[in-house]
Amino acid sequence: MGGLQGKLIERSKRVLGSATLTLLNSEGVDTSKIDELFLKHKISSSAEREVELLLKNGNLVTPVIAHGVELNHLPLFLKGQEFRDLLIPQDIAFKLNLSVGKQSRLIAPGTVDTVFEDIPRMATLFVDGIISTDVPEVDMYHIWVRSTLIQNLIKKHGNNKWRLYGDFDVDQLKADFASTPLASQIQIKTWEEENNTLVWALRLETMVMIFLFVAMTMLVALCITSGLLIFFDKIKKDLVSFWILGSSKKKLTFSAFAFLNMMGFVTVGLGIVFALVFLWGLDRFGGNIMPEVFIDRKIPIHITMKGVFISFGVPFLISMIFSWLSLLQFKTEEEELLEEIRTIG
């Protein structure tokens, strides 16, 4: 589960960036300080003019989020793509019946000319390429256009958003921008902050999986406890013989509890080792075992110390609890042990 979630987040960050910097008012603002701080923090970034528009082909219209990018400074995931007008994902191409070389119209509903006040501004573009980002929400609504074309269409100049890629200290970056004149005009959000609903859903999914894992472990523990009760009933006479030879009931109970805990520690530990070996083999030799409809045809493996700790700690803790419960009935009084001796005689 962690591997699938990790791949989803990795693909989304590859396209949308690990964080975004939004310039609330880009008109007449000197943005050179932004690039200086990015260079200082060694952050790979992509500047763009982002705006919500409509894309039309014949009678088919769909809302889109247009990214006006500079052709000589494309985002990392678009490196190697050559286009002059318009780059669209496969989902939008299918929705509007577009293909490479076809014409389409980009409409800015909120921008009109002085002469034609009721008619929104629009531009005719050729589709230069069709791509797939493997991020559903991006493939359904996002397009990439030449930056100057977007600026001319909406009659606004300059970039209003920077997408930041890679790992960096977001808090330190925010602190550095807070001491600049642009502090009131800048808003920095991490990918997690912009996708808080998705992050919450993934966290809930993880919690449900952990709950199911604990419930399954409890079920297995109940079965094992039933076996232990039968086992201790079989060896009750042996325990009584040790008591007669001078061993205290407390020592007998502690020895049995220690043995069960040691057995639980070894078996759970061996289970973790075998699981890690299996996952390593699946990651290395698994191949593409998922159907073609899945984005990740190879099952992604993601092992963390937190996951290993939970996988070991939960079964071992439950085994300790149920082992103790199975031993409670053997904390009997002397008369009950004597009664067991009388039955032997």
Side-chain angles (χ1 to χ4, degrees):
M1 183 58 65
L4 292 171
Q5 292 181 356
K7 282 291 185 181
L8 186 151
I9 295 173
E10 180 185 333
R11 287 194 302 269
S12 185
K13 287 185 176 182
R14 181 177 62 88
V15 178
L16 300 177
S18 302
T20 58
L21 183 149
T22 304
L23 193 57
L24 303 179
N25 181 18
S26 60
E27 292 297 320
V29 177
D30 182 12
T31 60
S32 59
K33 188 63 177 178
I34 295 177
D35 296 326
E36 288 179 13
L37 286 177
F38 288 164
L39 187 61
K40 173 186 174 183
H41 288 268
K42 299 180 181 179
I43 298 174
S44 177
S45 64
S46 172
E48 63 183 41
R49 164 62 71 170
E50 182 183 283
V51 62
E52 295 182 7
L53 301 174
L54 296 175
L55 187 64
K56 181 179 181 182
N57 178 35
N59 295 324
L60 303 173
V61 182
T62 185
V64 294
I65 298 175
H67 302 269
V69 295
E70 299 175 7
L71 299 184
N72 60 349
H73 193 197
L74 293 175
L76 294 177
F77 73 98
L78 289 180
K79 291 296 183 183
Q81 294 287 343
E82 296 183 1
F83 71 99
R84 293 184 58 83
D85 285 351
L86 178 63
L87 201 63
I88 62 174
Q90 290 180 352
D91 289 2
I92 293 180
F94 178 76
K95 189 187 302 184
L96 298 183
N97 192 25
L98 287 171
S99 59
V100 176
K102 271 194 172 184
Q103 280 188 347
S104 61
R105 287 189 175 183
L106 199 58
I107 305 171
T111 307
V112 296
D113 288 316
T114 306
V115 180
F116 308 100
E117 293 185 355
D118 295 333
I119 302 176
R121 287 175 63 86
M122 63 182 67
T124 301
L125 301 88
F126 287 94
V127 177
D128 295 310
I130 298 175
I131 64 171
S132 176
T133 65
D134 293 333
V135 182
E137 62 272 19
V138 174
D139 287 340
M140 288 191 294
Y141 298 108
H142 294 246
I143 64 173
W144 291 266
V145 188
R146 182 162 34 93
S147 179
T148 53
L149 191 149
I150 289 288
Q151 293 176 18
N152 291 334
L153 181 63
I154 64 175
K155 297 193 291 188
K156 290 183 180 179
H157 299 288
N159 299 311
N160 66 342
K161 183 162 286 191
W162 283 256
R163 297 194 178 274
L164 318 181
Y165 300 92
D167 297 324
F168 52 89
D169 191 341
V170 177
D171 294 330
Q172 184 59 48
L173 184 63
K174 289 180 179 180
D176 288 349
F177 272 109
S179 60
T180 65
L182 294 173
S184 60
Q185 298 292 328
I186 282 178
Q187 186 180 70
I188 300 177
K189 286 187 176 182
T190 63
W191 181 92
E192 287 76 11
E193 291 172 340
E194 290 194 327
N195 299 273
N196 54 355
T197 303
L198 176 60
V199 172
W200 179 84
L202 294 178
R203 188 179 295 118
L204 179 62
E205 184 180 46
T206 301
M207 291 173 61
V208 170
M209 293 301 296
I210 292 176
F211 172 77
L212 293 176
F213 172 66
V214 172
M216 179 186 66
T217 307
M218 291 278 288
L219 181 62
V220 174
L222 286 172
C223 297
I224 294 175
T225 302
S226 301
L228 285 175
L229 292 176
I230 297 172
F231 171 72
F232 281 123
D233 188 63
K234 292 287 186 182
I235 65 170
K236 184 181 290 187
K237 292 182 177 61
D238 296 316
L239 295 176
V240 171
S241 64
F242 283 120
W243 177 70
I244 293 174
L245 292 174
S247 182
S248 65
K249 291 182 294 177
K250 183 176 180 181
K251 185 176 180 181
L252 287 174
T253 303
F254 177 78
S255 298
F257 184 63
F259 170 74
L260 291 175
N261 284 339
M262 183 185 68
M263 186 173 62
F265 182 88
V266 172
T267 53
V268 173
L270 286 175
I272 295 295
V273 172
F274 289 144
L276 291 175
V277 172
F278 172 77
L279 291 176
W280 175 82
L282 184 63
D283 184 47
R284 191 174 180 88
F285 307 107
N288 297 328
I289 62 177
M290 303 295 287
E292 292 184 0
V293 295
F294 288 86
I295 295 174
D296 294 310
R297 296 194 59 197
K298 178 181 178 181
I299 298 178
I301 305 299
H302 181 62
I303 300 173
T304 62
M305 289 304 300
K306 179 181 177 182
V308 173
F309 176 77
I310 292 175
S311 300
F312 177 83
V314 170
F316 181 63
L317 180 63
I318 291 177
S319 71
M320 287 181 61
I321 294 172
F322 279 86
S323 296
W324 177 253
L325 290 176
S326 65
L327 284 169
L328 284 179
Q329 67 169 345
F330 295 100
K331 295 176 125 187
T332 54
E333 299 293 334
E334 253 181 60
E335 291 78 4
E336 294 178 359
L337 294 178
L338 292 173
E339 185 63 28
E340 184 67 25
I341 295 172
R342 294 190 188 100
T343 58
I344 296 174

